[in-house]
Amino acid sequence: MSGSGSRKSTYHSTVGRRDFMKMLGIGAGAVGAGAVGLGSTAAPAFADLDEMMASPYAERNLPWWVKEVDEPTVEIDWDHMEIFPGVHKTLFNPGGWDNKKEYKAIHARNIASTTEKVKKNVPGYSIRDRALGDANCWGWGALSSIAPSWTGPEVASFNGWEHPTMFYTPDQFGVPRFEGTPEENSRMLRVAGRIFGAADMGFVKLTDKTKKLLYGNIRFEKVDKGYDAGNGTVVLPDKDLWVICAVIPQSLWMAQYTDRMSWASANTAAYSRANIYSNRINVFLRGLGYQHYGGDTSAIGRSVGFGIMSGMGEYGRAGILVSPQWGTNFRTVMLTVTDLPLAETKPIDAGIVTFCRVCKKCAEMCPSGAIPKTDEPFWGGDKSWQAKGIKGWYQDAKKCFAYMLGGDPDCSRCQAVCPFTKFDEAVMHDLVRMSIAKAPALNAAIRKMDDVFGYGQEPPLEKSPWEVDPMDIPLFGLDKSRS
């Protein structure tokens, strides 16, 4: 290919699988990969951002059986919503424990138990397993974190290299900031989000209601720009703001080995990618001429609540977000606040909450017994690490934490066994999701069939992931049919 204009004249020959199926007449009413809109094995090529924004891939392509609704499927009491103080009061931090000795005991047990297993070469704890886990944790762990600050990563143009205008702002170029309609801006962010590593993206405007989902260490002031006030308090400008909500895919291929440190830390690898995504979305907003705040994996508020309100999933029995496309196989909901006007995305109803009432698989297979088995959700908030306002299934987080970080595997069992979490190359999985959304009377039978087909069972211990043909492992451990 030669000449600067040849690429634009020839690239339209690239067609993704979904579009190809549409050309064959397999429309939205059909069941299959084209109907579901989960992506393709060969991503389409585009000449520039404007071309990609104009394509169907920038739309919010929900499966046809998923409904957008005005109110989420989980009951929320906005009038009595309790604002959670902040990430420092979660059980992942010593400050969240009433009894600090209990936290220290779990910490000490982790060191002793892990060291013993490494010495005994227990599957999942060998030196090579630990080295891989440590490598996947880089970029997220406390001493290697690349998480952005409250106001984003520190970037500036540098004249001493071959790209002197890299990191210029619109002001430095002498041009106005990017201006688009809320709908155009949302399409643009979905395109950028996919490039940066977000599996899905939704948008929530901060109102008197949704501000209650923010942590209590955030305050609003009549200022032009937000800032870090110190002492754990951060400030947002009191004006129209939106929250960009994004989920980062986690390797199901790795997480299936959940009793072996989620084999070499599928979860921390996803957190590391989440920090990379977060930095990039911040820099992107900066380059457009807009403000950006927060965005690290500690979140700025109740991540599941924002995920529900943005329509990326529903509330699941394990207290985590469940997506109709991705199940539970992602790591946290990344939240970034911006003043770029966005078109809000609505909550969804895919039958997930109704299915969770019957299924209970995550609760039955939870090794710590932390997930409740009650049929109906309930009003929680009676523990220091909980916040009132959502009627859901509140897990016993102390049991979960003590098992997950107390010397046993870094557990992802509830994610790996969820019937919505599947490798997605079989049309049958789409039929099941459609049935859950449209024929809930079959939910009990679907759960039984999930067990019959062996889903959620860990590979036998003698089957080592180190012995797999490397070319059979999807890139980054992510399922190629869904990335």
Side-chain angles (χ1 to χ4, degrees):
M1 189 182 297
S2 62
S4 60
S6 61
R7 182 172 179 268
K8 283 196 174 186
S9 65
T10 60
Y11 88 175
H12 280 292
S13 62
T14 302
V15 178
R17 182 176 63 187
R18 178 169 56 189
D19 287 333
F20 180 71
M21 293 181 73
K22 288 181 179 178
M23 292 176 188
L24 295 178
I26 304 177
V31 175
V36 181
L38 292 175
S40 61
T41 54
F46 298 95
D48 53 36
L49 196 62
D50 288 336
E51 192 87 29
M52 192 168 182
M53 283 172 61
S55 81
Y57 293 88
E59 296 287 356
R60 190 189 187 203
N61 287 325
L62 293 171
W64 67 266
W65 59 81
V66 177
K67 298 183 297 184
E68 288 188 319
V69 292
D70 293 327
E71 298 295 332
T73 52
V74 62
E75 189 174 349
I76 300 178
D77 184 355
W78 292 108
D79 292 334
H80 299 93
M81 172 71 72
E82 184 178 33
I83 297 176
F84 192 73
V87 68
H88 62 286
K89 295 299 288 184
T90 66
L91 292 182
F92 286 95
N93 293 278
W97 292 71
D98 297 328
N99 184 352
K100 302 299 187 294
K101 291 182 179 179
E102 191 175 2
Y103 177 90
K104 291 180 179 179
I106 293 173
H107 185 268
R109 192 163 70 244
N110 183 309
I111 296 174
S113 177
T114 303
T115 300
E116 181 182 4
K117 290 176 180 177
V118 169
K119 289 179 176 179
K120 292 182 177 180
N121 206 33
V122 173
Y125 290 85
S126 70
I127 283 296
R128 61 179 176 177
D129 294 325
R130 295 303 307 137
L132 184 62
D134 292 345
N136 275 324
C137 193
W138 187 91
W140 176 68
L143 297 180
S144 64
S145 178
I146 55 173
S149 68
W150 173 247
T151 54
E154 296 296 327
V155 294
S157 57
F158 178 59
N159 291 328
W161 70 325
E162 65 269 26
H163 298 291
T165 60
M166 186 71 74
F167 302 129
Y168 265 31
T169 63
D171 286 344
Q172 288 173 289
F173 280 119
V175 299
R177 70 181 185 178
F178 176 87
E179 296 287 350
T181 67
E183 291 73 21
E184 290 170 339
N185 295 341
S186 296
R187 289 168 62 89
M188 174 180 63
L189 281 183
R190 286 194 193 94
V191 171
R194 287 288 294 181
I195 292 170
F196 299 153
D200 195 10
M201 187 176 280
F203 313 105
V204 176
K205 186 172 184 179
L206 286 179
T207 64
D208 289 342
K209 282 185 177 180
T210 56
K211 283 179 181 178
K212 295 179 179 180
L213 295 174
L214 296 172
Y215 285 148
N217 65 319
I218 299 174
R219 70 172 186 245
F220 289 81
E221 292 182 0
K222 295 289 185 180
V223 293
D224 292 332
K225 292 184 178 181
Y227 62 96
D228 188 335
N231 299 320
T233 301
V234 289
V235 174
L236 286 173
D238 192 6
K239 62 177 181 177
D240 285 343
L241 295 171
W242 290 260
V243 179
I244 303 167
C245 310
V247 290
I248 310 301
Q250 176 177 278
S251 172
L252 178 57
W253 185 85
M254 294 167 68
Q256 67 179 322
Y257 297 94
T258 186
D259 286 343
R260 306 177 212 182
M261 291 291 292
S262 289
W263 188 60
S265 303
N267 54 354
T268 56
Y271 278 132
S272 179
R273 288 194 299 273
N275 275 339
I276 295 172
Y277 153 83
S278 187
N279 280 286
R280 288 176 173 169
I281 201 72
N282 275 278
V283 173
F284 182 65
L285 290 165
R286 175 186 180 274
L288 297 174
Y290 289 88
Q291 296 178 18
H292 45 85
Y293 303 99
D296 70 8
T297 58
S298 296
I300 59 173
R302 296 165 77 164
S303 57
V304 174
F306 275 109
I308 292 168
M309 295 305 296
S310 64
M312 288 192 296
E314 296 181 57
Y315 186 101
R317 176 175 290 276
I320 55 182
L321 192 70
V322 183
S323 161
Q325 298 104 317
W326 292 85
T328 58
N329 198 44
F330 44 75
R331 188 49 60 165
T332 198
V333 180
M334 299 297 291
L335 307 174
T336 306
V337 180
T338 184
D339 59 349
L340 174 69
L342 298 168
E344 293 182 82
T345 47
K346 287 186 173 184
I348 62 168
D349 182 356
I352 293 172
V353 171
T354 300
F355 183 76
C356 282
R357 285 187 171 94
V358 175
C359 177
K360 304 180 183 179
K361 187 166 186 172
C362 61
E364 292 171 5
M365 299 190 72
C366 174
S368 69
I371 301 173
K373 298 179 181 179
T374 59
D375 291 345
E376 295 297 323
F378 50 90
W379 296 104
D382 57 339
K383 302 290 192 301
S384 62
W385 60 83
Q386 299 172 351
K388 297 177 181 177
I390 296 178
K391 189 176 184 180
W393 289 281
Y394 287 75
Q395 66 170 251
D396 188 333
K398 278 195 174 182
K399 287 183 178 179
C400 175
F401 184 94
Y403 179 85
M404 184 168 62
L405 299 180
D408 285 300
D410 194 0
C411 185
S412 297
R413 173 64 70 184
C414 58
Q415 293 179 295
V417 305
C418 177
F420 279 93
T421 304
K422 294 285 185 292
F423 293 110
D424 211 58
E425 293 184 345
V427 172
M428 179 58 66
H429 299 322
D430 305 331
L431 289 170
V432 168
R433 293 187 182 100
M434 180 182 68
S435 175
I436 289 172
K438 298 298 182 182
L442 298 176
N443 284 349
I446 289 172
R447 160 62 208 278
K448 289 180 180 178
M449 290 304 296
D450 199 72
D451 293 342
V452 167
F453 283 106
Y455 291 116
Q457 294 182 5
E458 175 156 4
L461 284 176
E462 61 270 16
K463 183 180 179 181
S464 170
W466 288 108
E467 297 172 2
V468 174
D469 184 334
M471 298 309 295
D472 288 338
I473 301 173
L475 193 62
F476 295 114
L478 299 175
D479 180 7
K480 63 184 179 181
S481 72
R482 305 174 74 175
S483 59

